[in-house]
Structure formats: structure tokens, C-alpha cells
Amino acid sequence: MTLTAFWFIVIAVLWTGFLVLEGFDFGVGMLAGIVGRNKADRNKAGRDDTGRRVALATIGPVWDANEVWLIVAAAGMFAAFPSWYATMFSGFYPAFVLLLVALIGRGLSLEFRGKHDTARWHRSWDVALTGGSLIAPFLVGVTLGDLLHGVPIGADQEYAGNLTDLLSPYALFTGITVVALCLLHGAAFLALKTVGDVRERAVGLASRISPVVAGAVVAFAVWTQVSTGHGGAAAIPAAVTVTAVAAAGWLIRQGRDGAAFAATSLTMAAAVSSIFVNLYPRVMVSTLGSATDLTVTDTSSSSYSLRVMTVVAAVLFPVVLLYQGWTYHVFRRRISRADVVTPARRTQASATGPPAATGNSDSQQEAT
């Protein structure tokens, strides 16, 4: 295997890892207001804030670390395939600016929502959270779809299109499919990480949407294989995607939370992998003809640069994986309503003395 092929695989793994890990964060952000509802625990605005806090507390300790995968994916493209990075990030500039706005708004919501206890304050940040959690995966899906479907690229390796060229039917459907997968992935994660009424609603919601998500995944897999014309090994990720999403729906209805979450993770990973498998050895397809396609050979850094990057990655990547794995291990337990510290309880506790132990971490409380 050449170094260029190796680094293409690394970039594919980073994009896949981002959507697998951040995908359930996006799903939780979109679903928090739905699975957190409870008529017995509503504030003056008629909203169940405690249930919403329970949902957000599940991703409180991990969401920011999961987003690092996107940063590393972009940095890896810049270092290993600078021409690919230049063409993609300049041509897709409007989409990436909107993606950054969505991620920033979502991050601010998770950090600041619990800083002030008024209905209007919560509502404003909830809109930012839901909108950012919806827009971000949609734009990532559109971007990945455009890589495979193709955009206008000239002989000078410059993007030769406009904004409408990014909105092909295949790219838009890829974005919709990624959003649907994030919803199912997030519901499965909530079922795994919560107890009580929040878990019950997450399971019920996942059961209802799983057939719709499965239909979108099947359509995406068929469209991808038909449009690329690649068979054989290239069809394996598509087959895994379809099988995994079907298994996820069945496991959710059986109440097997851990296995269901593993199945949704595999579905997301296989769906993203199918794009990169069908893309190689190209990194971007040109709609102006195969002669102007960008390939791993045309866009890669020097052999020396790739060798240095390989050594650095071999040292640091296992450390990052161990650290993130330890984070998930530490915050592995399920969360209940009793674990969530609301602003009112914080105020009362500060007035009466040290708060009682809730078993909740500072990171989880920050997310609430």
C-alpha cells in the first residue's frame, strides 16, 4: 500500500469517526425537546425542562471531544492532500461557513443554556441547538455526496461552478439520509444512556422512525451503487449499511439498547465508508469530464511529508483513542431525572449549604 492510499484511508476514517461519534450528539440535539416531555414536570412556560436537561446531560461530557474529529479530518486533508483541501474548501466555502455557524450556535447553546433560568432564555438556546444539530449533519452529508456525484472542476484544479452546483439531487438526498441516521443514532444513544420516561420515549420514537430511516438508507445505497457503476468489493459497504439499519430497528424493538446503538453506529460507518470506497482513487469527481477528476496522486503532498505525518499519527492517534475511550468509560452510567441539577436546586443548595451528591459530573451539569 502506498502512503497516498494510506492517507486517503486515514481521511476516510476521520470523516467516518466524526459522523459516528458526533452523529448521536446531533441526534440528541434534535430530539431533546421531544423525548424530554413530561406533563407531570412542567415549568411555567408549559415545558418539561428537567427532561430536556436529562437528554442533554447524556452528551455533556463528550460532544466537544467528538467535534475534534472534524477538525482533525480537515487538518489531515490540508497536510496530506493540499490540492484536494484547496479545491474543496474554496468551492464549498458557502456551505462550510454555514456549517461553522451551525456548530458554533449549537456549542454555545450547550454551554450557555443552563446559565440563566428563564423560559425565554431557554427557548432561544433550544432553537439554536435544534437548528444547529439539524443543519450541521445535513451540510456534511451534502458535502460528501458532492465529492462522489461530482462538481465542476477545471483543468487548473479550481472549482468552476456556483452555489447551485453543490445542490445536486444525490447530494441533497445524501444530506437527508445523514440527518435521518443521526436521528435514529441519537434515539438509540438516549435509550442506552437514560432511564425512566425519557428512555421510554426514546425507545418509542426510535421504533417509529426506524422503518423510515431504513427506507432512506436503502434508497441511498441503491442510488450510490447505480450512479457509480461499481460492483464487487465496492458494494460491500452498501450491503453492510442496509443489513445494519434493519438489525438496528429490530434490536430497538427488542429492548437491546447496547446492541441497537452498536447497529446504528455500524450503519453510519458503513454509509460514510461506501462514499469513500466508491470515490477512490479519486478524491473529487468532476462533472466536466474524468480528465479533470482530482485523484490521490494529483493532490497529495510529497513523500517526505507523508512519511513524517505517518510517524506522528502512529504516536498520537492511539493516545487520542485511549483518552476518548477512557472518557466514555468514566461517563458510562445511565442518567435519570434525579441526577440533573436544575438552576433552582443550585440556588437552594447554595443557600442551605453544600449540595448533596448526585453522582453527576461537572461536565454533565454544564450541559444542563
Side-chain angles (χ1 to χ4, degrees), residues 254-330:
Q254 295 297 313
R256 299 175 61 182
D257 300 337
F261 179 69
T264 58
S265 300
L266 179 58
T267 303
M268 181 69 82
V272 178
S273 298
S274 68
I275 292 176
F276 285 98
V277 168
N278 282 282
L279 187 62
Y280 186 81
R282 303 161 298 179
V283 294
M284 291 184 71
V285 175
S286 174
T287 56
L288 302 182
S290 59
T292 55
D293 288 348
L294 299 186
T295 67
V296 292
T297 303
D298 299 335
T299 59
S300 68
S301 294
S302 67
S303 178
Y304 175 77
S305 298
L306 294 178
R307 286 199 300 270
V308 172
M309 290 171 57
T310 302
V311 173
V312 173
V315 174
L316 296 182
F317 195 56
V319 176
V320 173
L321 290 179
L322 287 172
Y323 168 77
Q324 197 159 15
W326 176 250
T327 301
Y328 280 95
H329 174 74
V330 169

Side-chain angles (χ1 to χ4, degrees), residues 21-22 61-70 323-324 327-328:
L21 295 175
E22 189 71 350
V62 298
W63 70 268
D64 45 357
N66 292 340
E67 284 192 355
V68 172
W69 285 71
L70 177 63
Y323 168 77
Q324 197 159 15
T327 301
Y328 280 95

Side-chain angles (χ1 to χ4, degrees), residues 8 16 23 32 41-42 44 66 92 96 110 127 136 149 155 219 231 253 271 280 290 295 298 306-307 316 320 365:
F8 179 85
T16 302
D41 185 17
R42 290 179 180 268
K44 294 180 180 179
N66 292 340
F92 296 3
F96 285 144
L110 289 167
V127 170
H149 175 270
R253 286 186 287 274
Y280 186 81
S290 59
T295 67
D298 299 335
L306 294 178
R307 286 199 300 270
L316 296 182
V320 173
Q365 294 181 14

Side-chain angles (χ1 to χ4, degrees), residues 113-184:
R113 184 184 185 277
K115 301 300 183 183
H116 194 49
D117 191 27
T118 65
R120 184 176 181 180
W121 177 268
H122 289 169
R123 252 193 325 267
S124 300
W125 289 117
D126 288 341
V127 170
L129 174 63
T130 304
S133 299
L134 172 64
I135 293 171
F138 175 74
L139 291 175
V140 172
V142 169
T143 298
L144 295 178
D146 277 328
L147 294 180
L148 184 59
H149 175 270
V151 292
I153 301 175
D156 56 356
Q157 295 189 347
E158 294 289 336
Y159 179 73
N162 51 43
L163 180 60
T164 58
D165 291 308
L166 302 178
L167 305 177
S168 67
Y170 176 80
L172 292 174
F173 188 75
T174 301
I176 293 171
T177 303
V178 171
V179 170
L181 280 173
C182 287
L183 285 169
L184 184 62

